[in-house]
Amino acid sequence: MNPPSSVQRRDDTLRSGAESSSVSFVVNGARHDVELDNRTTLLDALRERLKLTGTKKGCDHGQCGACTVSVNGERINACLTLAVMHDGDDILTIEGRAAADQLDPMQQAFIDHDAFQCGYCTPGQICSASAVLEEMQAGFPSHVTDDLTAPIDITDAEIRERMSGNLCRCGAYSNILKAITQVAKERA
């Protein structure tokens, strides 16, 4: 008999009415096994249990993007998802983007273009910006994509549309756009 999949374990836990669950996920390349209250968001698990405080709690309603992380290669708002839903998943936070001795290209571009002021939203902005370029390269259209059958042009309008879920109270948007454009050009 095969062991239950993570989806099956998750479904069984939810049906059993248990108040907590054992969750195992890989965060920034390291496996973590934690016991969590079933109501714990992924954001709170990262910040409070794993002490990865780079991912920020902004609005706690999925409206600001400060909590953006990558789960299995897709960006999500960590405040809108429960940690138990990510048993077995691969999670990348801002702390996992840089090597020990070298910044991630997007992090470096944000520094090069002074694409932050207070810095609170910056981790979410960087995680989202990296995902934006990956989405365009993969051919995922946005609301402003003109031709759905052609490769997506990396334009200011495309970047702005795709980054619209990440808010910056300081108004560093023009420099954030320059940073993303720099990385896009480097990858081209």
Side-chain angles (χ1 to χ4, degrees):
M1 185 165 143
N2 292 329
S5 70
S6 63
V7 172
Q8 183 61 48
R9 286 194 314 268
R10 181 173 40 221
D11 291 346
D12 290 346
T13 299
L14 294 176
R15 274 195 292 275
S16 73
E19 292 182 15
S20 65
S21 298
S22 294
V23 181
S24 176
F25 31 60
V26 175
V27 181
N28 303 328
R31 182 184 170 100
H32 295 274
D33 299 308
V34 291
E35 182 77 19
L36 296 170
D37 182 300
N38 290 335
R39 300 167 295 179
T40 303
T41 65
L42 179 59
L43 174 61
D44 288 336
L46 293 170
R47 290 183 57 79
E48 305 301 325
R49 294 300 299 276
L50 302 183
K51 304 301 181 198
L52 296 170
T53 57
T55 304
K56 302 301 184 204
K57 184 178 276 205
C59 66
D60 221 15
H61 290 90
Q63 297 174 344
C64 72
C67 66
T68 303
V69 298
S70 174
V71 175
N72 298 329
E74 293 186 30
R75 65 180 162 152
I76 66 165
N77 290 332
C79 72
L80 292 181
T81 185
L82 298 175
V84 295
M85 297 170 63
H86 298 287
D87 188 48
D89 286 350
D90 186 21
I91 301 164
L92 180 63
T93 69
I94 191 68
E95 290 92 346
R97 294 206 167 267
D101 60 346
Q102 185 175 358
L103 292 175
D104 172 83
M106 192 64 73
Q107 291 172 315
Q108 186 61 55
F110 267 62
I111 292 170
D112 293 347
H113 293 281
D114 196 25
F116 52 89
Q117 288 180 29
C118 79
Y120 195 83
C121 72
T122 304
Q125 296 278 1
I126 290 171
C127 290
S128 202
S130 296
V132 160
L133 296 181
E134 291 166 10
E135 291 164 6
M136 284 194 276
Q137 184 178 8
F140 298 142
S142 77
H143 178 69
V144 299
T145 304
D146 289 329
D147 185 350
L148 300 180
T149 61
I152 297 172
D153 292 327
I154 300 175
T155 64
D156 289 356
E158 277 287 351
I159 294 170
R160 283 187 182 111
E161 171 65 22
R162 293 166 188 269
M163 291 294 293
S164 64
N166 289 80
L167 303 179
C168 174
R169 292 182 62 178
C170 300
Y173 295 117
S174 60
N175 293 348
I176 291 169
L177 180 61
K178 289 175 188 173
I180 297 169
T181 302
Q182 173 184 311
V183 175
K185 288 178 181 176
E186 289 171 0
R187 289 184 181 177

